[in-house]
Amino acid sequence: MDIDRPSDPQVSVVSSDGTMFHTTLKSILLSGTIKDMIEHIGEGGVENMGAIPLQNVDSKTLEIVIKWIEHHKDNIQPTSEEIKDKTADFIDPWDENFLEMDLDKLYNLITAANYLNIPQLLWLSTRKIAMLIKNRTPQEIRSLFNIEDDWTPQEIEAVQKENQWCEEK
Amino acid sequence: MDFVNNLPVELGESIFQHLTFEKLLECTLVSKSWNTFIGKSSKLMKKIIYRFYQLNDRRFYKKEYKDAFYKSQRMYQHIEIIKVSQNYIEEILDMFRGKIGNVKTLKLKELHFNNTKDVADFIEYFEPTIEEIELDRILVNSIDEYERHKFERLKVLRILNIDCDINCSSIFVMCSNLIELRVTTTSFTIKYKRPILVMLEQNEKLKTLELSLPLYHMILTNEILEENDEVVFKLNTFIGTNRYTAWPLIDYDDFFMTQLNSLEKLSLAEVNHLKNIEIIFKMPKLKELHLGNVEKFNMMNLTLTVNKSIEKISFMDMNNRHNTMYAIVCAIPNVKEMKIYSLTQYMMEFMSKTLKCLRNLKMRTIDAQDLTDPNLFPQLEMCSVEVVNSDLDDHMWSIPVENSSKLVQLILASNYLILH
């Protein structure tokens, strides 16, 4: 390898609201979307490449994403195929802690992880919401997500009845 | 903020996919949009079966139940209809009118039809999308010989426990894309072999085949080979189940020769011909082997080809003589999992030394006094024994656990019954 060339070159990305962030190539390659873009440029072009515009990610969310990819840049990432059947075994406490944020931020993170194609981050962030649902009753779920209870007593009884005939596949 | 209304559909699905089946159902109660979202998601509805169970005059069709199902917008993909009286089967079809387009798997169990045509008409209703059908204990009053139905999408077909005859299979002769076929019967006489033979001739993609005696006798002996010079399919899995004890010596050699290079899993309830057991051990891809009673081979001088691919094996030899056991153990150097009836002290010592890859051992019964050797199976990770035969002054309990063999430690840690 060329001695002058750093092994993990700097890369810049720009959020939808125009803020520029600097990170490293290794980190940003966790994003399948950006990896595809960079592969089209060819490797020699990375240093001369300008900042990558990310029109679907705002600066607040991008900051969070960058924090995550920089922490995980040396970890082997599962593909979206591998993660499909994954059941929750062990969650890295760092990730657990990282995901402590309000719902709006979490939704933005999910959307960004999806757009940037970071399967592990998408899995973790959607799982986080599922865990919020897991231990709540329907009424508690309604208040958590601010959902109006639009059932009449007869209607909800009908759904309850229907559910009784359902079995696990 | 409600993600169901605000996130793209596939992201909402990704969230719900982390939930168990029970929790997913509970989520349908949150709001109308949650109920609709889950019910219309083909990914999420994969987890849910809708079951019509034990519907009879007393229980069926209280009006509100019927209304609820009509109004329901859920796209059920898996339907089971079990123990429903004949009068209501037509009504169930009525309920599905307009929703049929989504059903991928259909299981019918313990139902009674007038004739095979009625069964066919019922199933044909689901034909546009159906991929998997299981018919279990279906009673039919009369048999109509006709073959007008085509099930091209059908990948899995199971016709189980047909007691009068295997006539139901005549409905399915026109399916040519099966990858799994299981037909088991409790009846000894078979008039309608042809439908099964036709299915076997048609389905080149067939990978898994299960047949009970006497069906597998018919397939495995040369009946199929006479009609067809070449067997079209190459199976990964063959299961032969059996309900009859006194069955003559049968040589399945010709059939096994056609499947020699493809079989990965083989299960036979009855192997009684020396040629059969010999050829089984020559199968180069065989990973899993389950044999029923192998006692008959105890009388013979059995030598088997060493098979390095077998990882999982089970067989029954209640006589617990050494001949067969010894021959099999010598032929399976890479076995990881083994299920047997019992082991003598001598066999245990021999196996400890021979089967270096063995990690999981399951036994029906064992004598406690045979377990004194502290070097038994040091590499074992799992062991279960159902019954331990034990004398009162037993060695097994007198030795401190830390000095006993790995085998004894694993047995002590498992659930077993002591028989004095």
Side-chain angles (χ1 to χ4, degrees):
Chain A
M1 191 179 282
D2 192 339
I3 234 150
D4 294 333
R5 194 182 147 189
S7 60
D8 193 6
Q10 283 272 318
V11 178
S12 309
V13 286
V14 181
S15 67
S16 60
D17 43 352
T19 314
M20 189 178 296
F21 292 87
H22 303 288
T23 181
T24 69
L25 184 63
K26 237 182 179 176
S27 318
I28 209 73
L29 286 181
L30 262 55
S31 155
T33 310
I34 294 177
K35 195 177 174 199
D36 284 348
M37 286 176 172
I38 289 177
E39 268 165 10
H40 283 288
I41 296 169
E43 226 195 299
V46 174
E47 286 91 338
N48 305 323
M49 176 180 71
I52 304 167
L54 298 173
Q55 272 144 20
N56 293 339
V57 191
D58 64 32
S59 58
K60 274 185 191 158
T61 311
L62 193 53
E63 195 184 335
I64 298 172
V65 172
I66 287 174
K67 190 176 162 199
W68 190 86
I69 56 177
E70 285 185 349
H71 182 82
H72 287 283
K73 67 177 196 280
D74 294 320
N75 301 355
I76 298 159
Q77 294 293 309
T79 64
S80 48
E81 273 306 304
E82 285 165 351
I83 220 155
K84 229 167 63 181
D85 305 313
K86 185 173 166 177
T87 46
D89 33 22
F90 171 75
I91 307 291
D92 183 345
W94 188 91
D95 283 333
E96 226 31 293
N97 190 37
F98 168 83
L99 288 164
E100 287 304 323
M101 58 181 87
D102 65 43
L103 276 177
D104 283 344
K105 276 191 185 146
L106 213 44
Y107 288 149
N108 288 336
L109 183 62
I110 289 172
T111 314
N114 182 50
Y115 166 70
L116 293 170
N117 186 10
I118 311 173
Q120 173 78 0
L121 183 58
L122 182 62
W123 186 87
L124 281 167
S125 51
T126 50
R127 179 185 173 277
K128 173 74 189 176
I129 306 249
M131 291 304 110
L132 295 173
I133 295 172
K134 193 182 161 193
N135 296 318
R136 284 177 162 82
T137 63
Q139 184 48 45
E140 287 165 342
I141 294 170
R142 281 180 210 120
S143 47
L144 173 72
F145 296 109
N146 208 4
I147 299 168
E148 188 201 342
D149 183 356
D150 53 0
W151 294 111
T152 64
Q154 291 82 3
E155 282 168 340
I156 201 155
E157 204 194 319
V159 178
Q160 276 163 342
K161 278 227 172 81
E162 186 178 352
N163 287 352
Q164 281 172 16
W165 296 89
C166 294
E167 299 273 334
E168 183 167 17
K169 171 75 178 172
Chain B
M1 188 178 85
D2 181 3
F3 65 86
V4 160
N5 294 325
N6 291 292
L7 285 185
V9 172
E10 74 270 18
L11 295 182
E13 286 177 330
S14 302
I15 293 172
F16 281 124
Q17 271 187 320
H18 291 278
L19 298 172
T20 60
F21 153 81
E22 289 93 349
K23 195 67 208 180
L24 195 60
L25 271 189
E26 206 184 319
C27 283
T28 62
L29 302 172
V30 168
S31 72
K32 286 181 184 171
S33 58
W34 278 43
N35 185 34
T36 311
F37 184 91
I38 293 167
K40 285 196 170 162
S41 159
S42 122
K43 268 188 206 163
L44 300 174
M45 290 303 283
K46 259 186 203 152
K47 292 187 177 181
I48 297 175
I49 301 172
Y50 192 81
R51 176 177 283 174
F52 296 89
Y53 179 66
Q54 275 192 340
L55 303 179
N56 47 41
D57 294 308
R58 228 164 2 100
R59 205 166 151 187
F60 199 32
Y61 295 138
K62 286 182 191 153
K63 194 176 173 305
E64 73 263 38
Y65 168 70
K66 199 170 176 176
D67 284 351
F69 192 84
Y70 268 128
K71 281 181 197 153
S72 161
Q73 299 186 327
R74 293 195 196 154
M75 311 282 219
Y76 288 107
Q77 295 167 29
H78 314 294
I79 301 294
E80 291 187 2
I81 304 174
I82 298 170
K83 288 187 184 172
V84 171
S85 42
Q86 217 172 340
N87 323 345
Y88 296 119
I89 289 178
E90 194 55 35
E91 293 206 45
I92 289 175
L93 273 188
D94 268 352
M95 289 168 72
F96 269 92
R97 263 175 244 283
K99 294 188 185 188
I100 291 286
N102 313 298
V103 179
K104 291 200 175 74
T105 72
L106 181 66
K107 178 177 173 179
L108 306 182
K109 192 176 173 187
E110 294 177 56
L111 301 183
H112 196 153
F113 288 88
N114 278 331
N115 48 41
T116 42
K117 188 179 172 300
D118 284 0
V119 186
D121 286 347
F122 185 86
I123 294 165
E124 196 184 31
Y125 214 82
F126 298 90
E127 193 280 326
T129 54
I130 198 83
E131 290 172 6
E132 194 178 317
I133 293 177
E134 181 173 318
L135 306 178
D136 190 357
R137 290 167 227 262
I138 302 300
L139 281 175
V140 184
N141 291 344
S142 66
I143 299 151
D144 321 273
E145 270 279 35
Y146 73 109
E147 299 162 4
R148 63 182 176 81
H149 296 275
K150 267 194 172 173
F151 293 95
E152 297 204 329
R153 251 171 273 264
L154 202 62
K155 292 195 178 76
V156 179
L157 175 61
R158 304 188 195 98
I159 306 174
L160 308 176
N161 302 307
I162 304 300
D163 77 339
C164 50
D165 210 318
I166 51 164
N167 45 62
C168 280
S169 60
S170 67
I171 302 162
F172 296 103
V173 290
M174 302 295 277
C175 50
S176 51
N177 290 310
L178 288 184
I179 52 173
E180 179 180 326
L181 174 65
R182 295 176 193 255
V183 186
T184 62
T185 168
T186 51
S187 156
F188 195 77
T189 52
I190 306 162
K191 288 179 221 142
Y192 293 85
K193 296 169 185 174
R194 214 180 69 77
I196 294 189
L197 289 179
V198 173
M199 276 197 278
L200 290 173
E201 282 169 15
Q202 279 181 347
N203 285 284
E204 286 178 42
K205 294 172 191 159
L206 203 63
K207 290 289 170 228
T208 298
L209 177 62
E210 174 176 346
L211 297 168
S212 65
L213 259 183
L215 290 170
Y216 82 77
H217 166 59
M218 155 192 109
I219 306 299
L220 300 193
T221 52
N222 44 23
E223 281 182 56
I224 183 168
L225 296 170
E226 267 173 25
E227 290 187 24
N228 244 28
D229 284 330
E230 213 175 311
V231 180
V232 293
F233 49 80
K234 297 277 178 255
L235 299 175
N236 295 336
T237 303
F238 179 78
I239 301 166
T241 51
N242 180 17
R243 280 167 187 258
Y244 311 100
T245 44
W247 195 258
L249 284 173
I250 305 157
D251 166 14
Y252 302 139
D253 226 24
D254 289 342
F255 176 77
F256 281 152
M257 280 310 284
T258 68
Q259 307 299 320
L260 186 73
N261 292 313
S262 65
L263 276 177
E264 292 172 18
K265 183 181 169 185
L266 177 64
S267 171
L268 287 174
E270 187 76 42
V271 208
N272 53 17
H273 200 289
L274 189 61
K275 270 173 118 182
N276 296 334
I277 194 162
E278 282 173 349
I279 197 167
I280 288 169
F281 281 83
K282 288 178 184 153
M283 295 175 175
K285 284 188 182 164
L286 195 65
K287 281 206 176 79
E288 209 178 316
L289 175 62
H290 305 283
L291 299 175
N293 206 331
V294 292
E295 271 168 41
K296 286 199 173 81
F297 301 109
N298 276 325
M299 308 312 289
M300 305 172 192
N301 202 358
L302 193 63
T303 317
L304 298 167
T305 314
V306 172
N307 185 313
K308 291 185 175 169
S309 61
I310 295 176
E311 291 179 356
K312 213 171 164 180
I313 196 166
S314 71
F315 53 88
M316 282 298 266
D317 180 6
M318 309 235 286
N319 282 350
N320 209 14
R321 291 205 218 151
H322 289 155
N323 280 1
T324 317
M325 182 82 87
Y326 184 80
I328 293 177
V329 168
C330 289
I332 46 170
N334 293 328
V335 78
K336 290 179 181 147
E337 212 180 308
M338 193 169 188
K339 191 178 172 187
I340 40 180
Y341 184 76
S342 186
L343 284 173
T344 59
Q345 189 169 11
Y346 167 78
M347 267 322 289
M348 276 192 275
E349 282 164 16
F350 177 66
M351 275 172 57
S352 293
K353 289 183 197 113
T354 320
L355 304 177
K356 295 291 181 202
C357 301
L358 191 68
R359 295 290 177 269
N360 188 343
L361 180 62
K362 288 178 189 151
M363 284 179 282
R364 172 86 180 96
T365 175
I366 195 137
D367 287 335
Q369 64 265 30
D370 290 345
L371 296 167
T372 47
D373 184 345
N375 298 316
L376 288 176
F377 298 102
Q379 74 283 32
L380 212 59
E381 287 165 6
M382 279 164 82
C383 176
S384 62
V385 177
E386 287 172 42
V387 179
V388 176
N389 293 314
S390 160
D391 294 332
L392 286 175
D393 56 333
D394 231 42
H395 313 275
M396 188 168 161
W397 328 111
S398 56
I399 302 168
V401 177
E402 57 274 22
N403 296 338
S404 61
S405 64
K406 188 72 190 282
L407 180 71
V408 172
Q409 291 175 21
L410 289 167
I411 293 175
L412 288 171
S414 69
N415 288 322
Y416 60 89
L417 195 79
I418 305 172
L419 218 66
H420 288 294

